[in-house]
Amino acid sequence: NAGVTQTPKFQVLKTGQSMTLQCAQDMNHEYMSWYRQDPGMGLRLIHYSVGAGITDQGEVPNGYNVSRSTTEDFPLRLLSAAPSQTSVYFCASSYRLGGLPLHFGNGTRLTVT
Amino acid sequence: AQTVTQSQPEMSVQEAETVTLSCTYDTSESDYYLFWYKQPPSRQMILVIRQEAYKQQNATENRFSVNFQKAAKSFSLKISDSQLGDAAMYFCAYRDSGGSNYKLTFGKGTLLTVNP
């Protein structure tokens, strides 16, 4: 099993550019989410999904867009990159809501100049 | 809103010794879940241990154990017989069983150094 796969691992963008971070899981997990990790801040939830066709906002959703057309994929779109979006992004999934631990991808380090 | 506090930004331990990382949380819920995640320099987030709040017994996983004090809202992680591979950032995380179950709330992390 590949688990949770994120691409790319590293990305540099210029201010105003757009891009999509890809996330795919092969565990048939209903729940998928995106977190960002900033120094001294821990991880914060951007968006999440509890199933195909269902998405909702987390704590820090501004500037990001998501969709969930299939169970496996949950891409994160940056509409117009800003330096404040420089961060490490993690995709995470679990079989369902509840007390199950999250399975994390290996992260994408994004730098916006 | 739930908050998670890790009061030790950095800790160090000698190889083979024991270290305890602190975590406190604030919640009005009675049923919830607590986790410790390890993040080595590779950036990967690895689950270390999980505790269900309704269980009195402290969770253990090999050299890792927790001291869960529900009344005090404390969830410390003890690492016994520390190894060089334990060096990492450790995050405490909370997930409630109610309306906010969709998210994990993380502390800011404790950077653990293991000295040979």
Side-chain angles (χ1 to χ4, degrees):
Chain A
N1 274 348
V4 179
T5 303
Q6 284 185 240
T7 55
K9 292 184 179 179
F10 301 94
Q11 183 70 50
V12 179
L13 290 178
K14 294 187 187 302
T15 298
Q17 287 184 319
S18 63
M19 79 157 295
T20 299
L21 306 185
Q22 301 292 344
C23 175
Q25 51 88 12
D26 62 359
M27 298 174 283
N28 201 31
H29 284 177
E30 291 181 354
Y31 174 86
M32 297 185 74
S33 56
W34 279 100
Y35 285 80
R36 61 177 286 172
Q37 181 181 15
D38 301 296
M41 298 288 290
L43 282 77
R44 293 178 293 168
L45 180 66
I46 305 171
H47 284 285
Y48 69 98
S49 168
V50 296
I54 306 169
T55 63
D56 209 340
Q57 297 181 352
E59 302 171 77
V60 288
N62 292 341
Y64 307 96
N65 201 0
V66 292
S67 60
R68 183 99 179 265
S69 56
T70 67
T71 300
E72 295 77 19
D73 300 300
F74 190 46
L76 178 72
R77 296 182 186 84
L78 280 69
L79 308 172
S80 177
S84 61
Q85 293 178 304
T86 294
S87 188
V88 178
Y89 292 85
F90 286 96
C91 180
S93 71
S94 64
Y95 183 61
R96 50 176 167 75
L97 287 175
L100 299 173
L102 293 183
H103 296 256
F104 283 84
N106 287 335
T108 297
R109 179 175 293 279
L110 175 68
T111 302
V112 183
T113 60
Chain B
Q2 294 87 359
T3 58
V4 176
T5 301
Q6 295 179 246
S7 59
Q8 306 150 318
E10 297 183 24
M11 292 280 285
S12 64
V13 64
Q14 291 296 125
E15 196 175 3
E17 294 190 344
T18 295
V19 64
T20 299
L21 309 184
S22 300
C23 173
T24 59
Y25 56 93
D26 185 23
T27 184
S28 58
E29 302 290 329
S30 60
D31 193 17
Y32 48 86
Y33 309 91
L34 296 163
F35 307 87
W36 278 98
Y37 280 89
K38 169 185 177 182
Q39 186 180 43
S42 66
R43 200 170 67 200
Q44 189 179 5
M45 292 288 287
I46 302 166
L47 176 69
V48 175
I49 204 162
R50 170 180 175 268
Q51 175 80 42
E52 298 171 7
Y54 67 86
K55 288 188 176 179
Q56 302 274 5
Q57 189 173 5
N58 289 326
T60 63
E61 286 289 343
N62 301 315
R63 298 182 295 107
F64 298 87
S65 61
V66 298
N67 183 6
F68 173 49
Q69 302 288 329
K70 190 172 184 179
K73 298 180 182 175
S74 170
F75 183 60
S76 60
L77 175 70
K78 185 171 85 170
I79 306 173
S80 304
D81 186 25
S82 297
Q83 300 175 0
L84 295 177
D86 295 333
M89 182 72 85
Y90 286 81
F91 291 99
C92 178
Y94 166 98
R95 191 174 192 180
D96 76 35
S97 63
S100 298
N101 180 248
Y102 59 86
K103 72 174 183 180
L104 236 56
T105 300
F106 286 86
K108 294 183 178 180
T110 296
L111 181 62
L112 178 67
T113 302
V114 181
N115 301 310

Coordinates of all heavy atoms in Angstrom, one line a residue, chain A residues 27-94:
Chain A
M27 N -6.4 3.8 0.6 CA -6.9 3.0 1.8 C -8.4 3.1 1.9 O -9.0 2.7 2.9 CB -6.2 3.6 3.0 CG -4.7 3.5 3.0 SD -3.9 4.3 4.4 CE -4.0 6.0 3.9
N28 N -9.1 3.7 0.9 CA -10.5 3.8 0.9 C -11.0 4.6 2.1 O -12.1 4.3 2.7 CB -11.2 2.4 0.9 CG -12.6 2.5 0.4 OD1 -13.0 3.3 -0.4 ND2 -13.5 1.6 0.9
H29 N -10.2 5.6 2.5 CA -10.6 6.5 3.6 C -11.7 7.5 3.2 O -11.6 8.1 2.1 CB -9.4 7.2 4.1 CG -8.5 6.3 4.9 ND1 -7.3 6.8 5.4 CD2 -8.6 5.1 5.3 CE1 -6.7 5.8 6.1 NE2 -7.5 4.8 6.1
E30 N -12.7 7.6 4.0 CA -13.7 8.6 3.8 C -13.2 10.0 4.1 O -13.6 11.0 3.4 CB -14.9 8.3 4.7 CG -15.7 7.0 4.3 CD -16.9 6.8 5.2 OE1 -17.1 7.6 6.2 OE2 -17.7 5.9 5.0
Y31 N -12.5 10.2 5.1 CA -12.1 11.5 5.6 C -10.7 11.9 5.1 O -9.8 11.1 5.2 CB -12.1 11.5 7.2 CG -11.5 12.7 7.8 CD1 -12.4 13.9 8.0 CD2 -10.2 12.9 8.1 CE1 -11.9 15.0 8.5 CE2 -9.7 14.0 8.7 CZ -10.5 15.1 8.9 OH -10.0 16.3 9.4
M32 N -10.6 13.0 4.5 CA -9.4 13.6 4.1 C -9.3 15.0 4.5 O -10.3 15.7 4.6 CB -9.2 13.4 2.5 CG -9.2 12.0 2.1 SD -8.8 11.8 0.3 CE -7.0 12.2 0.3
S33 N -8.0 15.5 4.6 CA -7.9 16.9 5.1 C -6.5 17.4 4.7 O -5.6 16.7 4.3 CB -8.0 16.9 6.7 OG -7.0 16.0 7.2
W34 N -6.4 18.8 4.7 CA -5.2 19.5 4.5 C -4.9 20.3 5.7 O -5.7 21.1 6.2 CB -5.3 20.4 3.3 CG -5.2 19.7 2.0 CD1 -6.2 19.3 1.1 CD2 -4.0 19.3 1.3 NE1 -5.7 18.7 0.0 CE2 -4.3 18.7 0.1 CE3 -2.6 19.5 1.7 CZ2 -3.3 18.2 -0.8 CZ3 -1.7 19.0 0.8 CH2 -2.0 18.3 -0.4
Y35 N -3.6 20.2 6.1 CA -3.0 21.0 7.2 C -1.8 21.8 6.7 O -1.1 21.4 5.7 CB -2.6 20.1 8.4 CG -3.7 19.6 9.2 CD1 -4.4 18.4 8.8 CD2 -4.0 20.1 10.4 CE1 -5.4 17.9 9.5 CE2 -5.0 19.6 11.2 CZ -5.7 18.5 10.7 OH -6.7 18.0 11.5
R36 N -1.6 22.9 7.3 CA -0.3 23.6 7.0 C 0.4 23.7 8.3 O -0.1 23.8 9.4 CB -0.6 25.0 6.4 CG -1.4 26.0 7.3 CD -1.5 27.4 6.6 NE -0.2 28.1 6.7 CZ 0.1 29.2 6.0 NH1 -0.9 29.8 5.3 NH2 1.2 29.8 6.1
Q37 N 1.8 23.6 8.2 CA 2.7 23.6 9.3 C 3.6 24.8 9.2 O 4.4 24.9 8.2 CB 3.5 22.4 9.5 CG 4.4 22.3 10.7 CD 5.2 21.1 10.7 OE1 5.3 20.3 9.8 NE2 5.8 20.8 11.9
D38 N 3.5 25.7 10.2 CA 4.4 26.9 10.2 C 5.2 26.8 11.5 O 4.8 26.3 12.5 CB 3.6 28.2 10.2 CG 2.7 28.2 8.9 OD1 3.3 28.3 7.9 OD2 1.4 28.2 9.1
P39 N 6.5 27.3 11.4 CA 7.3 27.3 12.6 C 6.7 27.9 13.8 O 6.1 29.0 13.8 CB 8.6 28.1 12.2 CG 8.6 28.0 10.7 CD 7.1 28.0 10.3
G40 N 6.7 27.1 14.9 CA 6.2 27.6 16.2 C 4.6 27.7 16.2 O 4.1 28.2 17.2
M41 N 4.0 27.1 15.2 CA 2.5 27.1 15.2 C 1.9 25.8 15.2 O 0.6 25.7 15.3 CB 2.1 27.9 13.9 CG 2.5 29.3 13.8 SD 1.7 30.4 14.9 CE 0.0 30.4 14.2
G42 N 2.6 24.7 15.2 CA 2.0 23.4 15.1 C 1.4 23.3 13.7 O 1.7 23.9 12.7
L43 N 0.4 22.4 13.6 CA -0.4 22.2 12.3 C -1.8 22.8 12.5 O -2.4 22.6 13.5 CB -0.5 20.7 12.0 CG 0.8 20.0 11.4 CD1 1.8 19.8 12.5 CD2 0.4 18.8 10.7
R44 N -2.2 23.4 11.4 CA -3.6 24.0 11.4 C -4.4 23.5 10.2 O -3.8 23.4 9.1 CB -3.5 25.5 11.4 CG -2.9 26.1 12.7 CD -2.7 27.6 12.6 NE -1.8 28.0 11.6 CZ -1.6 29.3 11.1 NH1 -2.4 30.2 11.6 NH2 -0.7 29.5 10.2
L45 N -5.6 23.2 10.4 CA -6.5 22.7 9.4 C -6.9 23.7 8.4 O -7.5 24.8 8.8 CB -7.7 22.0 10.1 CG -8.7 21.4 9.2 CD1 -8.1 20.1 8.5 CD2 -10.0 21.0 10.0
I46 N -6.8 23.4 7.1 CA -7.2 24.3 6.1 C -8.6 23.9 5.6 O -9.5 24.8 5.6 CB -6.2 24.2 4.9 CG1 -4.8 24.5 5.4 CG2 -6.6 25.2 3.8 CD1 -3.7 24.3 4.3
H47 N -8.7 22.7 5.0 CA -10.0 22.2 4.6 C -10.1 20.7 4.8 O -9.0 20.1 5.0 CB -10.1 22.4 3.0 CG -10.4 23.8 2.6 ND1 -11.7 24.4 2.7 CD2 -9.6 24.7 2.0 CE1 -11.6 25.6 2.2 NE2 -10.4 25.9 1.8
Y48 N -11.3 20.2 4.8 CA -11.4 18.8 5.0 C -12.6 18.3 4.2 O -13.5 19.1 3.7 CB -11.6 18.4 6.5 CG -12.9 18.9 7.1 CD1 -14.0 18.0 7.3 CD2 -13.0 20.2 7.6 CE1 -15.2 18.5 7.9 CE2 -14.2 20.6 8.2 CZ -15.3 19.8 8.3 OH -16.4 20.2 8.9
S49 N -12.7 17.0 4.1 CA -13.8 16.3 3.4 C -14.2 15.0 4.1 O -13.3 14.3 4.5 CB -13.3 16.0 2.0 OG -14.3 15.2 1.3
V50 N -15.5 14.8 4.2 CA -15.9 13.5 4.8 C -16.4 12.5 3.8 O -17.0 11.5 4.2 CB -17.0 13.8 5.9 CG1 -16.4 14.7 7.0 CG2 -18.2 14.5 5.3
G51 N -16.2 12.8 2.5 CA -16.6 11.9 1.5 C -16.6 12.6 0.2 O -16.6 13.8 0.1
A52 N -16.7 11.8 -0.9 CA -16.7 12.4 -2.2 C -17.9 13.3 -2.4 O -19.0 13.0 -2.0 CB -16.9 11.2 -3.3
G53 N -17.6 14.5 -2.9 CA -18.6 15.5 -3.1 C -18.9 16.4 -1.9 O -19.7 17.4 -2.0
I54 N -18.2 16.2 -0.8 CA -18.5 16.9 0.4 C -17.1 17.5 0.9 O -16.2 16.8 1.2 CB -19.0 16.0 1.6 CG1 -20.3 15.3 1.1 CG2 -19.3 16.8 2.8 CD1 -20.7 14.2 2.0
T55 N -17.1 18.9 1.0 CA -15.9 19.5 1.6 C -16.4 20.6 2.5 O -17.5 21.1 2.5 CB -15.1 20.2 0.5 OG1 -15.8 21.2 -0.2 CG2 -14.6 19.1 -0.5
D56 N -15.5 21.0 3.4 CA -15.8 22.1 4.3 C -14.5 22.8 4.8 O -13.4 22.3 4.6 CB -16.6 21.6 5.6 CG -17.5 22.6 6.2 OD1 -17.3 23.8 5.9 OD2 -18.4 22.2 6.9
Q57 N -14.7 24.0 5.4 CA -13.6 24.8 5.8 C -13.1 24.4 7.1 O -13.8 24.0 8.0 CB -14.0 26.3 5.8 CG -14.4 26.8 4.4 CD -14.7 28.3 4.5 OE1 -14.8 28.8 5.6 NE2 -14.9 28.9 3.3
G58 N -11.7 24.6 7.3 CA -11.1 24.4 8.6 C -10.8 25.7 9.2 O -11.6 26.7 9.1
E59 N -9.7 25.8 9.9 CA -9.4 27.0 10.7 C -8.8 28.2 9.8 O -9.0 29.3 10.0 CB -8.3 26.7 11.7 CG -8.6 25.7 12.7 CD -7.4 25.3 13.5 OE1 -7.0 26.1 14.4 OE2 -6.8 24.3 13.2
V60 N -8.1 27.8 8.7 CA -7.4 28.8 7.9 C -7.6 28.6 6.4 O -6.7 28.3 5.7 CB -5.8 28.8 8.2 CG1 -5.6 29.4 9.6 CG2 -5.3 27.4 8.1
P61 N -8.9 28.7 6.0 CA -9.2 28.4 4.6 C -9.0 29.4 3.5 O -9.0 29.1 2.3 CB -10.7 28.1 4.7 CG -11.2 29.1 5.8 CD -10.0 29.1 6.8
N62 N -8.7 30.7 4.0 CA -8.6 31.8 3.0 C -7.5 31.6 2.1 O -6.3 31.4 2.5 CB -8.5 33.1 3.7 CG -9.8 33.4 4.5 OD1 -10.9 32.9 4.2 ND2 -9.7 34.3 5.4
G63 N -7.8 31.7 0.8 CA -6.7 31.6 -0.3 C -6.6 30.2 -0.8 O -5.7 30.0 -1.7
Y64 N -7.4 29.3 -0.3 CA -7.3 27.9 -0.7 C -8.6 27.4 -1.2 O -9.7 27.8 -0.7 CB -6.8 27.0 0.4 CG -5.5 27.4 1.0 CD1 -5.6 28.2 2.2 CD2 -4.3 27.1 0.5 CE1 -4.4 28.6 2.8 CE2 -3.1 27.5 1.2 CZ -3.2 28.2 2.3 OH -2.0 28.6 2.9
N65 N -8.6 26.5 -2.1 CA -9.8 25.8 -2.6 C -9.6 24.3 -2.7 O -8.5 23.9 -3.0 CB -10.2 26.4 -4.0 CG -11.6 26.2 -4.3 OD1 -12.4 25.7 -3.6 ND2 -12.0 26.6 -5.5
V66 N -10.6 23.6 -2.4 CA -10.5 22.1 -2.5 C -11.8 21.6 -3.3 O -12.8 22.2 -3.4 CB -10.4 21.4 -1.2 CG1 -9.1 21.8 -0.5 CG2 -11.6 21.8 -0.3
S67 N -11.6 20.3 -3.7 CA -12.7 19.6 -4.3 C -12.5 18.1 -4.0 O -11.3 17.7 -3.7 CB -12.9 19.8 -5.8 OG -11.7 19.4 -6.4
R68 N -13.5 17.3 -4.0 CA -13.4 15.9 -3.8 C -14.3 15.2 -4.7 O -15.5 14.8 -4.4 CB -13.8 15.6 -2.3 CG -13.6 14.1 -1.9 CD -12.3 13.9 -1.2 NE -12.1 12.5 -0.8 CZ -12.4 12.0 0.4 NH1 -13.0 12.7 1.3 NH2 -12.2 10.7 0.6
S69 N -13.8 14.9 -5.9 CA -14.7 14.2 -6.9 C -14.6 12.7 -6.8 O -15.5 12.0 -7.3 CB -14.2 14.7 -8.3 OG -12.9 14.4 -8.5
T70 N -13.5 12.2 -6.2 CA -13.4 10.8 -6.0 C -13.0 10.5 -4.5 O -12.5 11.4 -3.8 CB -12.4 10.1 -6.9 OG1 -11.1 10.6 -6.5 CG2 -12.6 10.4 -8.3
T71 N -13.2 9.3 -4.0 CA -12.8 9.0 -2.7 C -11.3 9.1 -2.5 O -10.8 9.5 -1.5 CB -13.2 7.5 -2.3 OG1 -14.6 7.4 -2.4 CG2 -12.8 7.1 -0.9
E72 N -10.5 8.8 -3.6 CA -9.1 8.7 -3.5 C -8.4 10.1 -3.5 O -7.3 10.2 -2.9 CB -8.5 7.9 -4.7 CG -9.0 6.4 -4.6 CD -10.4 6.2 -5.1 OE1 -10.9 7.1 -5.8 OE2 -10.9 5.1 -4.8
D73 N -8.9 11.0 -4.2 CA -8.1 12.3 -4.4 C -8.7 13.5 -3.7 O -10.0 13.7 -3.7 CB -8.1 12.5 -6.0 CG -7.4 11.4 -6.7 OD1 -6.2 11.1 -6.4 OD2 -8.1 10.8 -7.5
F74 N -7.8 14.3 -3.3 CA -8.3 15.5 -2.6 C -7.3 16.7 -2.8 O -6.4 17.0 -2.0 CB -8.4 15.3 -1.1 CG -9.1 16.3 -0.3 CD1 -10.2 16.9 -0.7 CD2 -8.5 16.8 0.9 CE1 -10.9 17.9 0.1 CE2 -9.2 17.7 1.7 CZ -10.3 18.3 1.3
P75 N -7.3 17.3 -4.0 CA -6.3 18.3 -4.3 C -6.6 19.6 -3.6 O -7.8 20.0 -3.3 CB -6.5 18.5 -5.8 CG -7.9 18.0 -6.1 CD -8.2 17.0 -5.1
L76 N -5.5 20.3 -3.4 CA -5.6 21.7 -2.7 C -5.1 22.7 -3.7 O -4.0 22.6 -4.2 CB -4.7 21.7 -1.5 CG -4.7 23.1 -0.7 CD1 -6.0 23.3 0.0 CD2 -3.5 23.1 0.3
R77 N -5.9 23.7 -4.0 CA -5.6 24.7 -5.0 C -5.3 26.0 -4.3 O -6.0 26.5 -3.4 CB -6.7 24.9 -6.0 CG -7.0 23.7 -6.8 CD -8.1 23.9 -7.8 NE -8.5 22.7 -8.5 CZ -9.3 21.8 -8.0 NH1 -9.9 22.0 -6.9 NH2 -9.6 20.7 -8.7
L78 N -4.1 26.6 -4.7 CA -3.8 28.0 -4.3 C -4.2 28.9 -5.4 O -3.7 28.7 -6.6 CB -2.3 28.1 -4.0 CG -1.9 27.6 -2.6 CD1 -1.9 26.1 -2.5 CD2 -0.5 28.2 -2.3
L79 N -5.1 29.8 -5.2 CA -5.7 30.5 -6.3 C -4.8 31.7 -6.8 O -4.7 31.9 -8.0 CB -7.0 31.1 -5.8 CG -8.0 30.1 -5.2 CD1 -9.2 30.7 -4.6 CD2 -8.4 29.0 -6.2
S80 N -4.2 32.4 -5.8 CA -3.2 33.5 -6.2 C -2.2 33.5 -5.0 O -2.5 34.1 -4.0 CB -4.0 34.8 -6.3 OG -3.1 35.8 -6.5
A81 N -1.1 32.8 -5.2 CA -0.2 32.6 -4.1 C 0.3 33.9 -3.5 O 0.6 34.9 -4.2 CB 1.0 31.8 -4.6
A82 N 0.5 33.9 -2.2 CA 1.0 35.1 -1.4 C 2.1 34.6 -0.5 O 2.1 33.4 -0.1 CB -0.1 35.7 -0.6
P83 N 3.1 35.4 -0.2 CA 4.2 35.0 0.7 C 3.7 34.4 2.0 O 4.4 33.5 2.6 CB 5.0 36.3 0.9 CG 4.7 37.1 -0.3 CD 3.3 36.8 -0.7
S84 N 2.6 34.8 2.5 CA 2.0 34.3 3.7 C 1.6 32.8 3.6 O 1.4 32.1 4.6 CB 0.8 35.1 4.2 OG -0.2 35.0 3.2
Q85 N 1.6 32.3 2.4 CA 1.3 30.9 2.2 C 2.5 30.0 2.1 O 2.4 28.8 1.9 CB 0.4 30.7 0.9 CG -1.0 31.4 1.0 CD -1.8 31.2 -0.2 OE1 -1.4 31.7 -1.3 NE2 -3.0 30.7 -0.1
T86 N 3.7 30.6 2.3 CA 4.9 29.8 2.4 C 4.8 29.0 3.7 O 4.6 29.5 4.8 CB 6.1 30.8 2.6 OG1 6.3 31.5 1.3 CG2 7.4 30.0 2.9
S87 N 4.9 27.7 3.5 CA 4.6 26.7 4.6 C 4.9 25.3 4.1 O 5.3 25.1 3.0 CB 3.1 26.9 5.0 OG 2.8 26.1 6.1
V88 N 4.7 24.4 5.0 CA 4.8 23.0 4.7 C 3.3 22.5 4.8 O 2.6 22.7 5.8 CB 5.7 22.2 5.6 CG1 5.6 20.7 5.3 CG2 7.1 22.6 5.6
Y89 N 2.9 21.8 3.7 CA 1.5 21.4 3.6 C 1.4 19.9 3.7 O 2.2 19.1 3.1 CB 0.9 21.8 2.3 CG 0.7 23.3 2.2 CD1 1.7 24.1 1.8 CD2 -0.5 23.9 2.6 CE1 1.6 25.5 1.8 CE2 -0.7 25.3 2.5 CZ 0.4 26.1 2.1 OH 0.2 27.4 2.1
F90 N 0.5 19.4 4.6 CA 0.3 18.0 4.8 C -1.1 17.6 4.4 O -2.1 18.3 4.8 CB 0.5 17.6 6.2 CG 2.0 17.6 6.6 CD1 2.5 18.7 7.3 CD2 2.7 16.4 6.4 CE1 3.9 18.6 7.6 CE2 4.1 16.4 6.8 CZ 4.6 17.5 7.4
C91 N -1.3 16.5 3.7 CA -2.5 15.9 3.5 C -2.6 14.7 4.5 O -1.6 14.0 4.7 CB -2.6 15.4 2.0 SG -4.2 14.5 1.6
A92 N -3.8 14.5 5.0 CA -4.0 13.5 6.0 C -5.4 12.8 5.8 O -6.3 13.5 5.4 CB -3.9 14.0 7.4
S93 N -5.5 11.6 6.1 CA -6.7 10.9 6.0 C -7.0 9.9 7.1 O -6.1 9.5 7.8 CB -6.8 10.1 4.6 OG -5.9 9.0 4.6
S94 N -8.2 9.5 7.3 CA -8.6 8.4 8.2 C -9.8 7.7 7.6 O -10.6 8.3 6.8 CB -8.9 8.9 9.6 OG -10.0 9.8 9.7

